[in-house]
Amino acid sequence: MVSTKRKLVVTGAAGFIGSAIVQKLLLNNDEVIGIDNLNDYYDVSLKESRIKEIKKNSKINNWGFYKINFEDYDSLYKIFNDFKPNIVIHLGAQAGVRYSLVNPKSYIDSNLVGFANILELSKIFGIENLIYASSSSVYGGNKKVPFRESDSVNYPVNLYAATKRSNELMAISYSHLFNIPSTGLRFFTVYGPWGRPDMAPMLFTKSILNSETLKIFNHGMMKRDFTYIDDIVEAIFKCTYKPATPSDKFDSLNIEPDKSKAPHRIFNIGYGKPIKLMYFINLIEQYLGLTAKKEFLEMQPGEVLETWSDTNALKEWIGYSPQISFEDGIKKFLNWYLSYYSKK
């Protein structure tokens, strides 16, 4: 029997997407436990500020937070055992493509060992709906666009992408063996207020405001499917009300990456339109009324030329349709950035 009271564990709760979905859940009167290790991959004070924002919107008894590494199985077990969640949203991971070139062990620990712990606890405690973060990076060296969930994803071009594809395979196996409804969401370049400092919107804005030189790789000849945070949050929220089910299109003679006879689904979650890197930079310049100093460089190892999501599957599943245009989204992001950092 499905529980009527929604009790959710959200990992990566101090992160960009995690903190945003937590606030959405709390406004929905759900009970939420947040887990994050608050590592120093980027500015810890930003993560702490996100937690403070969550507390402003929480009631006394519907929110709790624990600072824990995801590879710490015993601590995670205690939380699951005490709280008895029925839904898990696993967004916690070691993020970043470029950082995986210098600190690969952190990706193995957090993204593989940590995710294995979440799967095992989901099995033990009978989780009714597991939603986990994958990434557009899994499409790796694919040249055919837009990217569809049915495309082959067997050629990751960096370790981060390899761990995210591994997460999908691990989830499929647990769903198959233990009937755990699990949904993998392949995020496409999420941006907006409270975003990550290691990503282009924050990096470029900071550099332009400080008159620092922008390092523009592949001479600016790249495109990204930028997706506004509010659209991402709405999609995750809707997925919490629709656990994965087996695909009625699964064919054991022609197995496709996005179809399973187990209760497992994979969806792209993006804007559905690639944005040229130089247009993105020009838009920030226009809104700030400043001109960036630019240094054009060769392509970096592990990067891809273009990301572009086909979101039809998610639209069919939950009615997903991005509402925020790129231009409006950048304006909202910059308004937040200028307000937040003016107080620092």
Side-chain angles (χ1 to χ4, degrees):
M1 177 181 292
V2 176
S3 304
T4 55
K5 180 64 178 178
R6 285 165 47 103
K7 301 178 69 175
L8 299 95
V9 163
V10 178
T11 70
F16 177 27
I17 303 174
S19 60
I21 187 61
V22 164
Q23 294 197 61
K24 176 78 171 181
L25 295 168
L26 293 176
L27 290 172
N28 193 51
N29 292 317
D30 295 319
E31 288 186 44
V32 183
I33 291 292
I35 300 172
D36 202 296
N37 65 1
L38 296 174
N39 69 29
D40 60 359
Y41 168 63
Y42 63 78
D43 182 13
V44 176
S45 69
L46 177 60
K47 299 179 181 182
E48 292 171 342
S49 293
R50 293 180 186 136
I51 295 296
K52 290 178 182 176
E53 282 295 304
I54 291 173
K55 289 180 178 178
K56 289 180 184 178
N57 296 323
S58 66
K59 298 176 183 178
I60 295 175
N61 297 319
N62 69 340
W63 161 247
F65 177 77
Y66 294 87
K67 182 181 176 182
I68 292 172
N69 288 320
F70 308 126
E71 56 268 33
D72 182 352
Y73 178 84
D74 291 340
S75 295
L76 289 175
Y77 182 94
K78 186 176 189 312
I79 291 171
F80 275 67
N81 191 50
D82 291 345
F83 184 56
K84 299 294 191 299
N86 43 50
I87 301 171
V88 172
I89 302 176
H90 181 60
L91 303 175
Q94 178 56 62
V97 169
R98 294 170 188 169
Y99 189 60
S100 68
L101 300 175
V102 269
N103 190 4
K105 185 178 184 302
S106 64
Y107 291 77
I108 302 302
D109 292 342
S110 183
N111 298 9
L112 297 182
V113 177
F115 188 56
N117 287 341
I118 293 296
L119 289 172
E120 186 65 13
L121 293 169
S122 295
K123 176 193 77 175
I124 292 171
F125 290 96
I127 296 303
E128 298 160 8
N129 187 1
L130 168 63
I131 299 163
Y132 66 93
S134 185
S135 168
S136 62
S137 297
V138 301
Y139 290 104
N142 287 15
K143 300 295 184 183
K144 182 177 69 68
V145 291
F147 297 149
R148 294 186 175 89
E149 295 90 342
S150 57
D151 294 340
S152 173
V153 283
N154 294 325
Y155 197 83
V157 296
N158 56 70
L159 181 62
Y160 172 69
T163 63
K164 286 301 182 179
R165 178 56 183 153
S166 298
N167 287 170
E168 294 177 351
L169 297 173
M170 294 162 72
I172 291 170
S173 67
Y174 264 75
S175 293
H176 174 79
L177 291 170
F178 308 113
N179 201 38
I180 301 169
S182 58
T183 300
L185 297 175
R186 292 174 176 170
F187 294 117
F188 280 72
T189 315
V190 187
Y191 74 100
W194 298 100
R196 277 174 33 201
D198 63 316
M199 295 187 71
M202 294 271 272
L203 288 172
F204 289 0
T205 300
K206 180 181 179 181
S207 293
I208 293 171
L209 288 171
N210 293 339
S211 298
E212 299 169 350
T213 301
L214 294 187
K215 293 184 177 181
I216 303 173
F217 296 101
N218 201 45
H219 303 279
M221 302 299 291
M222 292 194 290
K223 298 178 182 178
R224 290 292 181 269
D225 192 332
F226 289 97
T227 317
Y228 191 68
I229 183 64
D230 289 5
D231 290 323
I232 293 285
V233 167
E234 186 63 25
I236 298 172
F237 182 71
K238 288 182 177 178
C239 284
T240 65
Y241 282 98
K242 191 168 184 180
T245 57
S247 172
D248 57 8
K249 297 178 182 178
F250 177 79
D251 181 358
S252 60
L253 297 177
N254 183 29
I255 296 177
E256 296 178 285
D258 62 323
K259 297 178 179 65
S260 172
K261 65 179 180 180
H264 179 267
R265 299 275 177 154
I266 292 175
F267 297 108
N268 289 337
I269 176 167
Y271 184 43
K273 178 182 178 182
I275 303 296
K276 292 180 180 179
L277 179 60
M278 294 311 300
Y279 175 70
F280 162 55
I281 294 172
N282 292 339
L283 199 62
I284 295 177
E285 291 176 317
Q286 175 188 325
Y287 287 162
L288 293 178
L290 298 169
T291 300
K293 298 177 183 178
K294 304 177 182 72
E295 179 184 3
F296 293 94
L297 303 169
E298 296 298 321
M299 191 74 161
Q300 272 209 323
E303 289 283 8
V304 297
L305 288 173
E306 178 178 7
T307 63
W308 180 359
S309 64
D310 182 321
T311 60
N312 286 320
L314 192 59
K315 181 177 182 180
E316 182 178 336
W317 184 248
I318 57 166
Y320 174 74
S321 179
Q323 300 299 304
I324 307 298
S325 71
F326 180 66
E327 292 74 14
D328 286 346
I330 289 295
K331 188 175 293 184
K332 290 173 182 289
F333 159 72
L334 289 174
N335 286 339
W336 168 81
Y337 186 99
L338 294 171
S339 173
Y340 179 78
Y341 284 101
S342 69
K343 301 171 185 175
K344 292 294 180 179

